[in-house]
Amino acid sequence: MAEGLRERKKRQTRQYISDVATGLFLERGFEAVTVAEVADAANVSVNTVYNYFPAKEDLFLDRSKGVVDRLSRWVRGRRDGESAAQAVLRELREEVESVSPRIGLMEGYAGFMGVIHSSPALRSRLWAIGQEVQDNLERTLREETGAPDDDPVPSLMAGQVNWLHGTVMAAIGRRMMAGGKPAEVSRDILVLLDEMEDLLSDRVLNYAVRGAE
């Protein structure tokens, strides 16, 4: 019980520091706020901030771990008879149809994306996260299909499937920053998903089908 309480306290402290930092970044911009200022506003030491967040960018993109494994989780959880790409398309449609804040369909997301677009450091980190998503997905596809390390197909397929996710996320960001409302953007993105699926080849749409011989 004591260990559980300590872990809960750590999670609460981490979230509080992140929330304070996010508020400062939204108000003044990422580059204008120092880690020392975040620590002062959160009433903790600079060392404490770095104990929870190894880099300043982590304070703002604090939920990136869940994003890095997102496509792999969706592929590993695909249904019988469903391919990797079909699973990701289905999951994306479900998120979009439900107007999910997990993919940015929420009030305030425009401000969040505005901070990223105004910061070279955050744009660089976001690109790196996208690469992590694709690398993680490639490893998952190799595991799921039993492909050897020298087979280029899982890498190529990971690029195609990651394109779906990256394009949707970028489109949501642009539309929200342009003043779109979550429900309106949701409808636009559903149309976009249909168009993107039409562009995929049969080989991509039928790769890594669960239960296939």
Side-chain angles (χ1 to χ4, degrees), residues 162-204:
N162 189 43
W163 167 73
L164 293 168
H165 179 259
T167 301
V168 164
M169 294 304 296
I172 289 173
R174 286 194 303 271
R175 285 165 169 77
M176 294 299 291
M177 288 181 67
K181 298 298 182 184
E184 297 170 351
V185 174
S186 171
R187 291 191 291 271
D188 291 342
I189 299 301
L190 287 174
V191 174
L192 177 65
L193 275 165
D194 289 342
E195 294 174 347
M196 294 171 70
E197 183 173 2
D198 287 342
L199 292 174
L200 294 177
S201 70
D202 288 340
R203 187 176 181 188
V204 173

Side-chain angles (χ1 to χ4, degrees), residues 13 25 31 33 52 54 57 68 81 105-107 133-134 158 163 196 199 210:
T13 300
F25 296 146
E31 312 295 346
V33 178
Y52 287 98
E57 292 82 0
V68 167
L105 293 172
M106 62 180 179
E107 298 296 338
V133 172
Q134 183 164 324
W163 167 73
M196 294 171 70
L199 292 174
R210 170 149 288 163

Side-chain angles (χ1 to χ4, degrees), residues 32-113:
V33 178
T34 67
V35 173
E37 288 174 318
V38 171
D40 184 63
N43 198 29
V44 298
S45 70
V46 170
N47 284 340
T48 297
V49 174
Y50 280 119
N51 283 340
Y52 287 98
F53 303 93
K56 181 182 173 184
E57 292 82 0
D58 298 325
L59 284 161
F60 195 66
L61 300 172
D62 62 313
R63 298 178 183 176
S64 62
K65 288 184 178 180
V67 174
V68 167
D69 192 45
R70 178 184 285 170
L71 297 188
S72 288
R73 284 187 283 107
W74 288 351
V75 168
R76 287 193 297 266
R78 68 195 185 283
R79 299 167 179 172
D80 288 342
E82 191 173 54
S83 71
Q86 288 167 344
V88 170
L89 283 165
R90 173 178 54 77
E91 293 280 4
L92 281 171
R93 284 194 174 97
E94 289 176 359
E95 292 286 333
V96 174
E97 287 175 347
S98 65
V99 195
S100 172
R102 287 188 296 267
I103 57 172
L105 293 172
M106 62 180 179
E107 298 296 338
Y109 192 64
F112 177 84
M113 289 303 299

